[in-house]
Amino acid sequence: CQASTVRQQRKFPDDFLFGTATASYQIEGAWNEDGKGENIWDYMTHNNPTVIKDVSNGDIAADSYHNYKRDVEIMRELSLDAYRFSLSWSRILPTGMANEVNPAGIEFYNNYINEMLKYNITPMITLYHWDLPQKLQELGGFANPYISDWFADYARVVFENFGDRVKHFITFNEPREICFEGYGTTTKAPILNATAVGTYLCAKHLVIAHAKAYYVYDKEFRASQGGQCGITISVNWFGPHTDSAEDQFAAELKRQAEWGLYAEPIFSSEGGFPKELSQRISEKSAQQGYAKSRLPEFTAEEKALVQGSSDFFGVNHYTGYLISATQAKVQNPVPSLPDDVDAGTIVPAEWPKSASAWLTLSPNSILYALTHLKERYNNPIFYITENGWSTPPEAGLNDDMRGTYYRTALESVLDTLDAGVNLKGYMAWSLVDNFEWMEGYTERFGLYSVDFEDPARTRTPRKSAFIYKHILSNRFIDHTYEPESMTMTID
Ligand code: GBH
């Protein structure tokens, strides 16, 4: 096509890390093998199976526990620089507590890491991607302030065992999904639906847990291991529906509730929870007859501990929404976080739709989100730790829209780099199809498809796998590239 040859080619820097991301519960399977303890997803899917759309679970999933060598082979086929994966806390510490370490769990992750390193693939570890040991949930999970000590103890075991070879650690994946979806509503385990205070209690305890783990790394391991420790927060873009002052304020409040609750205490120069949101929650709490704000306070000591406790800002970004102060409002539970924000969400009909209700292709959303974070938090090191697109199972290997999505997203990444954002890498979600939480196996995010009917869980590249490989190997986006065949090779 004429335009692409005329157009100046923009390149990704050579040291820009291209990878893919996955999570333990979504791919590993082997839910009760070799001493692994039960986690909250095992517990929920076994005891309350109908909460999952297709009444499935992650007992076997993509069976990566047994197929990890094939997964690393796929990474080599894709020519990845890096691979982000999460550890199953209860595979390492069956009860959640660090007094009893499961050697088979350590061995599994050692094999996995060593297999990647053999082929120069940089491992990036997420310590927690939603699979809390069930025993800790029974003690209150993230509603119990002691979670920060249990998590720091677990983190120490992780750094001790893997930090000689792994230089990128992410404490938590997506606090919003842990705290709002898990505690404030019913869309993630442990489906507590503690709408009034659950999200906010969790938010406070989680950022303190993050900070304690960060200081375990910083004080006990950084000098000898020389790596980095950060956190990943879901940052979709929430822009104002119109440029009225009301819509702008509604969008700001929404951003504070979606990600500011977790980002502000860690990355802002003032520390603590976001101001406008805190004020709103405190006003509503008073009206609702609470003696104190439903949003807990930090002590001065806690605030100082959390502030500045991250070497980088991991961003999971998928989409964007337009926020209105007056339109598209729905009745939310009272009291609840959405009721505290009290705004409407609009998705323009022309934005292309994926197989997931919440995910559309929202133009320029990466650029908007990352430049906003750059200004607000003084341009820390960023990694995009997830970005991806879902297709329905029946689409099979033909996923033109996923290819289009990645090309569009990566153009926005180039714009983001041009805008001076300190962005160091990009992880596509996901390497292979996996257990998509409440949606079970009804939505697929893999660059490779997995045959879940086949006991071997055979993996096959989709068209987008070739497109992604072409982009990262050449360091530019060729919008006209078409794979010659659907056979993958290792270059
Ligand atoms: C990521 O979260 C997760 O980190 C990853 O594990 C997951 O597989 C991937 O997304 C794809 O979903 O509309 O109430 O049903 C992205 C964050 C996921 C948050 C979907 C909102 C919708 C919940 N979003 N979720 S609901």
Side-chain angles (χ1 to χ4, degrees), residues 26 129 173-174 177 181 318 358 386 429 436-437 445:
Q26 294 182 273
H129 197 127
N173 179 71
E174 298 188 347
E177 281 60 32
E181 297 204 18
Y318 286 83
W358 53 275
E386 283 180 30
W429 184 274
E436 183 48 35
W437 309 112
F445 277 87

Side-chain angles (χ1 to χ4, degrees), residues 242-366:
T242 70
D243 53 20
S244 73
E246 291 75 19
D247 282 1
Q248 302 223 26
F249 183 73
E252 174 57 25
L253 216 52
K254 180 77 173 176
R255 292 190 291 262
Q256 293 187 6
E258 290 280 324
W259 75 66
L261 210 42
Y262 319 97
E264 205 77 3
I266 299 171
F267 294 100
S268 72
S269 49
E270 300 82 32
F273 286 126
K275 277 200 215 56
E276 288 79 6
L277 182 71
S278 302
Q279 198 188 329
R280 171 67 66 86
I281 299 168
S282 131
E283 283 162 12
K284 286 233 181 192
S285 302
Q287 286 161 18
Q288 290 158 350
Y290 287 87
K292 279 171 112 174
S293 176
R294 288 179 280 103
L295 181 68
E297 284 177 7
F298 289 105
T299 64
E301 204 184 333
E302 288 167 342
K303 201 166 152 179
L305 175 83
V306 172
Q307 198 192 351
S309 63
S310 196
D311 298 324
F312 59 85
F313 193 137
V315 169
N316 284 358
H317 178 95
Y318 286 83
T319 191
Y321 306 89
L322 300 179
I323 302 304
S324 169
T326 51
Q327 292 181 44
K329 288 214 210 171
V330 294
Q331 180 56 58
N332 292 300
V334 182
S336 70
L337 174 142
D339 180 66
D340 289 337
V341 175
D342 192 28
T345 300
I346 294 163
V347 176
E350 63 273 18
W351 292 359
K353 291 182 176 57
S354 71
S356 309
W358 53 275
L359 174 54
T360 64
L361 197 169
S362 167
N364 300 316
S365 60
I366 291 182

Side-chain angles (χ1 to χ4, degrees), residues 8-21:
Q8 227 203 333
Q9 239 172 42
R10 295 190 296 170
K11 289 221 157 199
F12 295 93
D14 287 339
D15 63 353
F16 190 82
L17 280 188
F18 273 109
T20 62

Side-chain angles (χ1 to χ4, degrees), residues 428-443:
W429 184 274
S430 184
L431 183 76
V432 293
D433 287 340
N434 52 55
F435 176 76
E436 183 48 35
W437 309 112
M438 293 313 209
E439 309 307 319
Y441 299 99
T442 67
E443 298 172 7

